[in-house]
């Protein structure tokens, strides 16, 4: 079997495979690469030693049976026999469902999660978005501290379990999206700098030295990241990737890394004849991210839209701290702005940043499906001190209003696991670092962060405590009882409407028209012949929709169709979806 590794500054590289050492030779055709042959089979353990140093895992390891610090294992992707005949499912018209494998079920494995995919198919979502799967220390964690970017966390089940999960999802008609982290590498098991200049001091990020995208040696680092991305899409038949915090990818080259990545993914889509897509997490509010390359953009297919989340969250909860301040001041006007223009900060002043931020999005050119709209995510729940969901903050009626706004807005909706039944379980920040010093540093840092916001130290869950993860697991008995069952039925009804009414998946942002009354706390908008009205006040409201001939498609509380004057009587904390006849 052929082995190879990039180690441009090494004077000698050896391969240790199944307890036998082999000297590698320089590749005459690729500068900095070493290669050699060795007897190996599926599961063979191996690693590389640079200049007679310790044997380390392969930077491009496909499997880490003993975690990030252990030896790598050979994986033969051709051994798996795929069952599903899958042609893919595109992003336009999609509904995503963010899922953390380790807490979606008490077992916390891919096989256990696959056993619950039938619930999602019945719910009406189209894609499951998995939080990162790369190996990280211990058993339980969020997954954003990975290093082996080509491997699957072993406690989740490893490579074969991911293939079984994807196969089952595809059999049920569900696409699979994977969250990948290119902006930093985890501290545990990070031996990449031993092999080459994967990091650079030219730039710095919140995690320290930046991933090397533009300094000497960056050609190979970019190829490393792109190769990993394509491997998920090709070897595991993943349908799309969510790119974590792309604003932290510092690249001064004329050909930006994200543009190069989008080119490679589009080429693979053409080769495999499957729709593949990239969704960025970005706080830049820069439309160039999601503008096609032919029009001068970077060519990513969509991005998370935190502005919609912030506007919705402040409207529902009244919270106004930190980055919520500008949205809270804007009130329903801020929510209306995001519903019609995508971004709230489109060149406006951001008091949180103490500067102007963003640029306008051209509604006539950017399709609405390129923005993901949501009310909850792993970040927005888990980065609260106690991991409290909206269900811990709002009445069932306001939760129903939130669901209505998310699932009828002109964006690609995304739900966070358990949201559909107003889960009563929190989702907290948890880690399982095996390094005692690192574990203590994370614990102290978490408590110090929230102490600055007035939280008592004892009220902040211990990230390293096993109970923190256990509390965060979904309770699958909840959907069978009230008030959860009613909420689940409402989500199913709204999702069915989204699939039945073409106007609700119309990508034309410019066609959305909004009206609201700040004092009386109602907001309504129209998409084609579909009208959506939400009353956030506790008291009933009369909404002058101006549409006398309309029928009720769905209502949280009983609602009569509008009278001859086009006015609809809407109970307090409720929502209605209508269609104009």
């Amino acid at each position: 079997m052929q082995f190879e590794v990039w180690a441009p500054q090494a004077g000698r590289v050896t391969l240790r495979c199944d307890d036998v050492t082999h000297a590698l030779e320089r590749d005459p055709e690729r500068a900095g690469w070493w290669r050699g042959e060795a007897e190996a089979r599926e599961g063979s353990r191996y690693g590389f030693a640079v200049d007679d140093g310790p044997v380390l895992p392969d930077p491009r390891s496909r499997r880490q049976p003993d975690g990030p610090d252990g030896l790598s294992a050979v994986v033969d992707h051709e051994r798996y026999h795929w069952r599903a005949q899958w042609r893919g499912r595109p992003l336009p018209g999609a509904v995503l469902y963010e899922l953390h494998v380790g807490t979606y079920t008490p077992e916390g494995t891919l096989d256990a999660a696959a056993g619950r995919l039938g619930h999602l198919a019945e719910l009406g979502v189209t894609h499951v978005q998995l939080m990162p799967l790369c190996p990280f220390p211990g058993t339980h964690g969020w997954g954003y501290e990975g290093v082996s970017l080509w491997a699957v966390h072993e406690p989740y089940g490893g490579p074969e379990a991911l293939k079984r999960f994807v196969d089952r999802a595809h059999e049920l008609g569900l696409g699979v999206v994977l969250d990948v982290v290119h902006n930093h590498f985890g501290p545990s098991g990070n031996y990449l700098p031993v092999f080459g200049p994967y990091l650079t001091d030219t730039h710095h990020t919140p995690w320290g030295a930046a991933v090397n995208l533009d300094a000497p040696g960056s050609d190979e680092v970019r190829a490393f990241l792109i190769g990993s991305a394509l491997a998920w899409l090709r070897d595991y038949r993943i349908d799309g990737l969510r790119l974590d915090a792309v604003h932290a990818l510092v690249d001064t080259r004329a050909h930006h890394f994200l543009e190069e990545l989008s080119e490679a993914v589009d080429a693979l889509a053409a080769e495999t004849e499957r729709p593949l897509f990239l969704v960025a997490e970005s706080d830049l509010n820069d439309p160039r991210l999601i503008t096609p390359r032919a029009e001068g953009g970077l060519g990513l297919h969509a991005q998370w839209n935190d502005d919609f989340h912030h506007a919705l969250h402040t409207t529902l909860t009244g919270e106004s701290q930190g980055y919520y301040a500008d949205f809270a001041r804007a009130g329903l006007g801020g929510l209306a702005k995001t519903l019609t223009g995508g971004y709230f900060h489109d060149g406006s002043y951001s008091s949180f940043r103490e500067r102007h931020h963003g640029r306008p999005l051209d509604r006539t050119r950017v399709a609405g499906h390129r923005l993901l709209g949501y009310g909850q995510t792993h970040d927005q729940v888990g980065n609260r001190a106690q991991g409290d969901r909206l269900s811990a903050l709002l009445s069932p009626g306001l939760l129903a209003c939130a669901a209505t706004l998310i699932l009828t807005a002109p964006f690609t909706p995304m739900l966070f696991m358990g949201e559909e039944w107003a889960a009563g379980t929190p989702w907290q920040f948890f880690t399982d670092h095996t390094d005692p010093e690192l574990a203590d540093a994370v614990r102290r840092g978490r408590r110090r962060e929230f102490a600055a916001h007035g939280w008592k130290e004892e009220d902040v869950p211990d990230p390293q405590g096993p109970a923190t993860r256990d509390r965060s697991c979904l309770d699958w008995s909840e959907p069978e009882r009230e008030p959860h069952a009613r909420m689940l039925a409402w989500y199913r009804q709204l999702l069915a409407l989204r699939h039945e009414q073409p106007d609700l998946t119309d990508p034309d942002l410019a066609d959305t028209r909004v009206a609201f009354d700040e004092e009386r706390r109602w907001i309504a908008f129209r998409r084609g012949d579909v009208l959506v009205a939400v009353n956030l006040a506790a008291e009933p409201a009369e909404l002058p929709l101006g549409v006398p001939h309309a029928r009720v498609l769905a209502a949280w509380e009983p609602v009569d169709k509008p009278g001859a004057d086009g006015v609809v009587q809407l109970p307090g904390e409720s929502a209605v979806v209508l269609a104009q006849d």
Side-chain angles (χ1 to χ4, degrees):
M1 178 178 173
Q2 179 82 20
F3 289 86
E4 59 182 16
V5 66
W6 181 61
Q9 297 158 352
R12 169 180 161 84
V13 179
T14 56
L15 163 72
R16 185 76 173 173
C17 182
D18 287 340
D19 296 326
V20 179
T21 300
H22 309 264
L24 300 186
E25 298 180 348
R26 295 182 186 273
D27 188 330
E29 298 180 358
R30 293 187 297 167
W33 282 84
W34 300 73
R35 66 183 186 184
E37 297 276 344
E39 291 283 340
R41 62 191 184 284
E42 170 80 15
S44 288
R45 302 294 184 88
Y46 74 97
F48 300 106
V50 176
D51 293 330
D52 299 318
V55 179
L56 303 174
D58 182 359
R60 286 170 167 76
S61 171
R62 271 62 170 182
R63 187 180 177 196
Q64 290 295 117
D66 302 312
D69 292 300
L71 290 179
S72 302
V74 172
V75 173
D76 179 4
H77 285 299
E78 299 302 319
R79 285 166 50 100
Y80 186 83
H81 299 290
W82 293 92
R83 302 184 307 271
Q85 300 298 314
W86 182 248
R87 284 305 198 180
R89 195 156 190 175
L91 184 63
V95 179
L96 275 60
Y97 185 97
E98 190 183 23
L99 181 158
H100 177 260
V101 170
T103 50
Y104 188 59
T105 66
E107 298 87 347
T109 66
L110 283 157
D111 284 333
R116 292 285 185 180
L117 286 176
H119 163 79
L120 300 184
E122 294 174 4
L123 176 63
V125 301
T126 64
H127 292 75
V128 183
Q129 180 174 297
L130 298 174
M131 287 176 62
L133 299 179
C134 294
F136 53 84
T139 301
H140 301 299
W142 281 19
Y144 291 92
E145 300 298 331
V147 176
S148 299
L149 301 191
W150 306 54
V152 179
H153 189 50
E154 202 68 18
Y156 287 167
E160 290 288 298
L162 177 56
K163 291 174 183 176
R164 291 191 294 269
F165 179 93
V166 173
D167 225 356
R168 180 58 181 151
H170 288 170
E171 286 179 329
L172 293 169
L174 298 169
V176 181
V177 181
L178 178 62
D179 196 338
V180 296
V181 183
H182 292 160
N183 52 56
H184 74 287
F185 305 120
S188 295
N190 185 8
Y191 305 108
L192 293 174
V194 175
F195 290 92
Y198 284 88
L199 300 173
T200 175
D201 288 326
T202 304
H203 312 292
H204 289 271
T205 72
W207 305 280
V211 175
N212 180 14
L213 299 177
D214 58 4
S218 58
D219 284 357
E220 289 292 352
V221 178
R222 292 160 75 109
F224 169 79
L225 298 175
I226 292 172
S228 166
L230 297 182
W232 296 116
L233 300 170
R234 181 186 59 247
D235 299 335
Y236 293 95
R237 300 193 178 183
I238 299 289
D239 299 283
L241 301 175
R242 183 261 191 188
L243 308 176
D244 183 63
V246 300
H247 46 267
L249 296 171
V250 186
D251 182 10
T252 61
R253 290 167 61 161
H255 191 194
H256 197 280
F257 166 73
L258 292 175
E259 182 180 4
E260 187 177 352
L261 176 60
S262 73
E263 290 170 349
V265 169
D266 285 350
L268 181 62
E271 175 189 331
T272 59
E273 298 182 334
R274 284 193 295 130
L276 304 173
F277 54 84
L278 296 170
V279 179
E281 179 198 19
S282 172
D283 70 357
L284 299 176
N285 283 21
D286 186 350
R288 287 173 293 192
L289 275 176
I290 53 176
T291 297
R293 295 187 303 276
E295 299 176 21
L298 298 182
L300 301 184
H301 306 91
Q303 70 154 98
W304 280 26
N305 186 9
D306 270 355
D307 278 16
F308 173 72
H309 168 273
H310 298 346
L312 178 61
H313 186 89
T314 57
T315 297
L316 293 168
T317 67
E319 293 183 0
S320 60
Q321 71 276 18
Y323 51 68
Y324 287 143
D326 293 335
F327 298 89
R329 278 192 293 270
L332 285 172
L335 182 58
K337 182 177 181 179
T338 62
L339 285 168
T340 54
Y343 300 147
F344 175 81
H345 284 303
D346 53 3
S348 60
Y349 184 79
S350 165
S351 62
F352 176 72
R353 299 175 178 85
E354 298 183 342
R355 61 170 175 80
H356 287 76
H357 184 68
R359 65 187 301 170
L361 183 152
D362 187 344
R363 299 190 304 153
T364 64
R365 299 177 61 192
V366 177
H369 75 261
R370 293 187 180 275
L371 298 174
L372 267 63
Y374 39 84
Q376 301 178 77
T377 70
H378 76 272
D379 269 331
Q380 301 299 343
V381 176
N383 282 327
R384 297 173 68 86
Q386 295 186 325
D388 44 337
R389 298 168 177 265
L390 280 180
S391 55
L393 307 174
L394 304 176
S395 67
L398 288 179
L399 290 175
C401 291
T404 307
L405 290 165
I406 294 163
L407 293 175
T408 60
F411 312 126
T412 296
M414 185 178 74
L415 310 179
F416 181 60
M417 63 177 197
E419 171 186 340
E420 70 275 21
W421 72 70
T425 51
W427 201 76
Q428 300 174 335
F429 180 72
F430 51 88
T431 56
D432 193 18
H433 290 297
T434 53
D435 180 341
E437 291 187 8
L438 181 57
D440 190 53
V442 170
R443 182 184 294 113
R444 287 185 286 107
R446 186 79 175 173
R447 288 173 173 168
R448 185 170 54 247
E449 175 187 355
F450 286 105
H453 296 285
W455 288 88
K456 295 180 180 179
E457 183 173 307
E458 59 269 23
D459 291 337
V460 179
D462 177 7
Q464 286 285 122
T468 305
R469 176 265 171 182
D470 294 344
R471 281 192 297 270
S472 301
C473 292
L474 290 178
D475 178 355
W476 282 93
S477 71
E478 286 186 338
E480 302 171 1
R481 60 179 189 267
E482 297 298 348
H484 308 286
R486 183 186 179 195
M487 189 63 65
L488 178 58
W490 180 241
Y491 270 82
R492 285 176 174 164
Q493 186 176 10
L494 290 173
L495 282 164
L497 275 183
R498 186 171 184 86
H499 296 309
E500 294 166 4
Q501 298 290 327
D503 285 335
L504 291 179
T505 52
D506 185 345
D508 186 1
L509 271 176
D511 191 45
T512 302
R513 294 170 176 81
V514 182
F516 63 92
D517 187 316
E518 189 74 56
E519 183 178 351
R520 299 172 66 198
R521 299 275 294 158
W522 63 258
I523 185 168
F525 58 91
R526 179 170 182 164
R527 302 188 60 203
D529 290 331
V530 175
L531 295 95
V532 179
V534 172
N535 180 13
L536 301 174
E539 302 78 22
E542 294 185 350
L543 279 65
L545 300 182
V547 183
H549 304 292
R551 67 186 187 279
V552 175
L553 299 176
W556 175 249
E557 298 286 359
V559 174
D560 293 329
K561 65 180 182 179
D565 56 359
V567 173
V568 66
Q569 307 286 335
L570 195 55
E573 297 185 352
S574 66
V576 64
V577 182
L578 308 106
Q580 183 175 2
D581 289 327

